[in-house]
Structures are given as structure tokens and as C-alpha cells.
Amino acid sequence: MTQPPPPPPQQPPQGGGFGPPQDQPPQDQPPQTPPPAAGPNLGKAPEPGYGYPQAPQAPQTPPPAAPQTPPTPPQGYGYPQGAPVPQPPQAPQGPPGYGYPGQQPGAYGQPQQAPYGQPGYGQPGYGQQPGYGQQPGYGYPQQAMPHQPQAGQPGGGGKFNAQMAIIVAAVVAIALIIGGGVWYASSGKDEGRENDTAGVSGGTGGTGGTDDGKGGTTSGKEKAPSDPSAKVLFQVPAPEVKNDSTVVVSGSWLTDKAYVKSGIAQIVGYDRDKGSELWKLPLSGPVCQASRHVTDDNLTAILYQPAMPTKADPSHGCSQIALIDLDAGKKLWTKTVKTGDQLINFDNITLSGKTVAVGSTSGGAAFDVSGKLLWSPKPTDSCYDAGYGGGEKLVAVRKCGSYDQRQLHIQTIDPKSGKVISEYKMTEGIEYASIVSTNPLVVAADVGDSAGDGSGISDFFSIDSKTGKLRTRISAPGEQFAARCEGITRVEACNLLAVGNDRLYLPTEEHDGTGKYSQTNEIVAFDLATGKQTGQRADAGDGYTISPLRMDGGNLIAYKRPPYDKGGQVVSIAGGSFKQTTLLQNPSTESVRDVETSMSPEYSEFLYAEGHLYMSKVYASKRSTVREKEYLAVGFGTS
């Protein structure tokens, strides 16, 4: 877990977005600041609050002492369905928190006021909709630039402050975090495959596979090597960024031949073992968003700007929709959609089967992989498709009503025709929702802004995609669970969670371990039919923090962020017994740890397949010091 980023500038920039805003948000109030929450109740005494240091910087320098009187979690695991969602404690109001918008967006057509090169903190990043009158900044970061741990810093940190979910919910990763997210390991192909993966940690999907009944991993494709010890395969240096700009470099994929990563206005294919360039695809402008999904023949889709930002024009909008061949390193086509005579700037992109779908506050559109337009926004629509979730099925988050009477329609649609197959109407007043998985259909939302931690999640909704009926609702208090979704503009940007075996796998928040100064957490499972916990629990181990990456048949692949004196691990967790098998163990040397811990599962893209682990950033910025070595991506592999 990473440390919270520094606060934004006092006056975030204003600017006019594309087209008249669909709705006008009210003036936000400064977020409340709850005291740190204790670790989850797993039959232990209450633990010190979240953010308590995971490990000292070095053995000679112990971290600060734990809080003397940690608060008690309001609810234990298995928090009953339908019970009131706990509200965060009130605290004296302070200055606006991270991502706080500060002022209402400007009127339609108002020019962008942000200076060229202003960092993402003050720009409409994570959670701020361009359609609300704010023009995206350089590279159009969809989420605010997260603070990355400094070299050698142990894992740990805390979630963002209370009531920021309306503008903040990281990703993913950043992955990209998934993608951000981004959006998440083996190439993640959608048709006829067991696993659906994405560009940030926290892939979803995986309906096949059963445990062998003995705690083994025969139901998955990933097998433990005879020696899981890994080494650094290659490092891709961070690209040079001019001035103090922040540029989106979201998107990473894995094929049988290449590790593919977005750079500044380019996409590059690297040899999976050596890191040497196989191909380079230049783009006219920075990538805005990248689909986490890949077809059987290694095609994926991206959104990007039509030109490079300049000081005079810091953003050209995310209007370009492209289909990319990850094997050949070629752009097969680029499409745009207009409303009247103006291009639509889209917020998100996904892929389901042979359909590329994009959503925005101006509505949604879709293309066949051949380039044929399947549907686009209609001027007469009273509702609009804010975004789509892809993979095995295509699901739309359709928004209807005015801002103060918003209702979200979760629609499973035919990816070829756009015809609605089923629909679930969420309770009026829920402004944003995220598609966690399309098969089985799972949606996350922050009901009543009650999560209180910026995660974007207070509840999960398990929905029957055939009938549109609610199967169950799972309460996931932010004080106890560490998953994140950014449903504001990117409805598919969820990480630190996975869905498979008709179960939802969530990591708990960090809490005290048994060792001195150690922090740890667990992964627990919820039944998507009943909403209850299954009783399965995978412990990270003292000093480690465990996060789901993706499903592997009936098994769960997870990453263990290491303490200050060890290397990270990738493990396979058997779907039935929850027995852990180590697939990869990174070196514990300081130099390797520095690189590994500079990227976190919360805000970076993590891909794992066949003994290879790849980590990459979703933002590039000017290096803080000339002596600090930063990397865009790093690959680890077993022998």
C-alpha cells in the first residue's frame, strides 16, 4: 500500500469541457477527516489504525509508535445485508483534501485555465468528469497522480481521506493503474478463454476450474516452478517529460511473444525475457485510456489525443479510438464520433468479443473490429451510456435523470447490435457505479458516499445478467476492505480484487501483524449467491500485504508486497482449500527492492504469467531529482 499523495494546489484549474454538461454537480464541501480505522476484526483484538508503518526504513531506525487507542471497526466480517452502512466519524473541517475540486466547473465553452505542465493534482484527474466543464490536462490523466513510494520505502500507507469518492478513487492504475486499470497476465483474451485479465492489478473474470480437493493448483494453468526464485529480466527507463508535466502512459498487455507497454505518445512491444524492443508504434498524442481486454488474435483498443499538448493548448481531448494489433505492432484503424459538428471526447474504452465500446457524458458508441460503426449517441436520448464493462459480456452503465435525481441502469447488452438483454435499476441517488465483472455480473458503488476513504466502494451488487434481478448485495465497509474502483469516468477501473468461482475475492485493510512493527492483511471470499463470506482466508504473512491480481481457472493469483528486508512474491491460491503455492519470489537485495517497491498494486499495472511478473507505471512525470533513477516498467522472471 502506498502513502497518500500530497494535497493539491489550493486553486484547481477551471476550464470548459466538450459540449454542454449533462448535469451540474453541486458545490462540494471540504471532506471530513475520520480518525484512522483499525484493522479488520478477524478474532483479534483491535489493531492500530491504517497507515501504521509496515516496517522501519532500516533496522537501525524504528518507525513511530502505533496509536495508543485505535478505534474499533464498526462492523465485523459478514456485516449483514441491508444493515445501515456505517458513517465515518466527523472531524473538524480542514483544507480541501487530495483531489478536492475546490470550485464548480466553468461554463460551457470556457477555455482551460491551467498552465502548461501543471501536475495532475490540480487538473481534472482521477474522478473528475471532463463533461462537467473541466478540460483534461496534459495527457488527460483520468486519475490524479498518485504518490509513489520512494526507493527503499517499505510497503504500507493509507487510503485517501473521507468523502473524496466523488472525485477520487484510485487506480489504476493506474492498472493504470487498470489498467490503473487497466485495468490486469497471460494476454487476457476474451473469447473462449478461462481468464480475463487487465492492465492493472485486480483482474476479474474466471468462471471455470475447480479445486482438486487436496489444496493443489491443478485447476489453473499456472504451475509452480522447481525453483520460484526470480531475477530482474529488464528495466525500461522512465521517459523524459518536459517541464513539470504529468503524462498518461496507461496500458500494458502480455502476448505469447511480447510484453507491450504504452509510453509517451507511443506503444512499444518488448521481448518478454530480454526487454529488447520488438516494435514501436508512434501515436499523434498521448494515450488517454487503454482497454484491459484482448481478443484471441491479440487485438486491443485505446483512446488517445489527436496531437501532442502544448503550452497554448494543454489538451486536445480524447477523441481518437484505435484498434491495435499487439503481434504486428500496428494500428489497424482510428475512428472518431461526432455530435453535430464537434468531436466527442470519450472517458473510457473496453472490448467484448469483436466489439470496441466507448462511453462518455455525451453518450456511448461502439465499433466492430472491422471498423464498422455499430451505434453512437442519439440527440433524442434522455439517458446516456456513461461507460461499458467488457470481457465475456458487454455491460453498460446508463445514466438517466437529473443530477439530484440520478438513476443508473446496469444493462447487459448484445455487443453486436446494442440490444438490451437485461437491466437492473439501481436505487435512485447512486451517482456512480463500476463494473467489477461482466460474467458473473458484479457492480460496485459507494452508496451515499459512505465509504469514507476514497475507494469508491461501500457495497457490491451481484446481479443475474440474464434476468436483471439482484442476487445479493454485499456490504464492504471501507474501514475493513482495501479494494478500489473509479466509477466516476472509468466504469471498469477496479483493482485489488477479483471475481471467479461465483465468488468475490477482497483484500482486507492492513493491520498489525505478530512481529514488531509489522503490518499485514488477508484475502477473504464472498459467495455471490448469498452475499456471505465463505470462511476462506489467505494470510499475507508478517510484513507482507497481499492483493488479488486475477483468476487462473479456479485458482486466484495474488501479489505479496514485501516488508523492508524481503522481496515480493506471486502466489497461487487454490480455489477450494485456499492453500498458497509460491509461483515467484523476487530477490531481497536492496537495489531490487527499491525498484519493486517504487510501484504499488494500487497505482501501477501488474501482469503475471508463466513465471514472469511485469510492473509498470501509468503516469510519467519529471523526475524529482537527477540522481533518482525511475523506471517505466520492470520485468522479473524465474529460471
Side-chain angles (χ1 to χ4, degrees), residues 286-365:
V287 172
C288 302
Q289 294 297 324
S291 172
R292 66 182 61 181
H293 307 292
V294 180
T295 66
D296 278 340
D297 50 353
N298 288 330
L299 305 181
T300 195
I302 62 168
L303 282 171
Y304 69 99
Q305 294 190 37
M308 288 298 296
T310 63
K311 185 175 182 179
D313 194 350
S315 175
H316 297 279
C318 297
S319 59
Q320 310 297 300
I321 309 161
L323 187 72
I324 306 298
D325 185 330
L326 297 175
D327 283 336
K330 295 182 179 179
K331 182 171 59 175
L332 300 183
W333 49 254
T334 297
K335 302 292 181 180
T336 59
V337 181
K338 290 185 176 182
T339 175
D341 59 352
Q342 293 191 351
L343 292 176
I344 295 178
N345 293 325
F346 291 99
D347 300 323
N348 53 77
I349 187 166
T350 195
L351 184 66
S352 179
K354 299 293 185 181
T355 297
V356 176
V358 287
S360 73
T361 54
S362 297

Side-chain angles (χ1 to χ4, degrees), residues 322-578:
L323 187 72
I324 306 298
D325 185 330
L326 297 175
D327 283 336
K330 295 182 179 179
K331 182 171 59 175
L332 300 183
W333 49 254
T334 297
K335 302 292 181 180
T336 59
V337 181
K338 290 185 176 182
T339 175
D341 59 352
Q342 293 191 351
L343 292 176
I344 295 178
N345 293 325
F346 291 99
D347 300 323
N348 53 77
I349 187 166
T350 195
L351 184 66
S352 179
K354 299 293 185 181
T355 297
V356 176
V358 287
S360 73
T361 54
S362 297
F367 294 85
D368 184 84
V369 292
S370 66
K372 175 185 176 182
L373 178 66
L374 300 177
W375 67 83
S376 61
K378 298 178 178 62
T380 57
D381 282 349
S382 58
C383 304
Y384 65 93
D385 289 356
Y388 302 91
E392 295 183 24
K393 296 186 178 182
L394 186 61
V395 176
V397 175
R398 190 164 178 81
K399 291 193 173 186
C400 299
S402 60
Y403 179 80
D404 56 349
Q405 292 182 318
R406 173 78 70 220
Q407 186 171 46
L408 302 183
H409 298 204
I410 308 301
Q411 299 177 334
T412 298
I413 60 180
D414 185 325
K416 295 181 180 179
S417 66
K419 179 181 178 181
V420 177
I421 298 172
S422 68
E423 178 179 76
Y424 171 72
K425 295 181 180 180
M426 302 193 74
T427 303
E428 189 175 292
I430 299 176
E431 180 68 15
Y432 306 107
S434 298
I435 305 298
V436 177
S437 169
T438 61
N439 187 30
L441 178 53
V442 181
V443 174
D446 186 359
V447 180
D449 299 331
S450 58
D453 60 358
S455 65
I457 305 170
S458 67
D459 296 82
F460 292 92
F461 298 79
S462 175
I463 302 169
D464 187 324
S465 61
K466 294 181 180 179
T467 65
K469 294 182 179 180
L470 182 68
R471 299 173 66 195
T472 190
R473 178 172 168 176
I474 299 170
S475 177
E479 305 89 4
Q480 297 179 20
F481 300 101
R484 309 184 69 86
C485 288
E486 193 273 283
I488 310 298
T489 59
R490 301 183 302 139
V491 302
E492 204 178 24
C494 293
N495 66 341
L496 306 182
L497 79 176
V499 172
N501 302 320
D502 206 35
R503 292 169 182 171
L504 170 66
Y505 299 100
L506 297 179
T508 67
E509 283 288 6
E510 294 180 28
H511 56 83
D512 265 3
T514 58
K516 189 176 182 180
Y517 305 126
S518 73
Q519 290 275 284
T520 189
N521 77 327
E522 302 79 25
I523 292 176
V524 296
F526 288 86
D527 190 307
L528 290 175
T530 66
K532 298 179 180 179
Q533 286 196 47
T534 64
Q536 296 166 310
R537 188 180 84 177
D539 295 318
D542 261 351
Y544 289 92
T545 304
I546 192 169
S547 304
L549 293 184
R550 64 174 177 90
M551 296 304 298
D552 174 34
N555 297 335
L556 175 65
I557 304 297
Y559 170 73
K560 289 185 176 182
R561 184 172 172 84
Y564 74 98
D565 58 348
K566 294 183 173 67
Q569 297 178 349
V570 174
V571 297
S572 176
I573 303 172
S577 67
F578 251 43

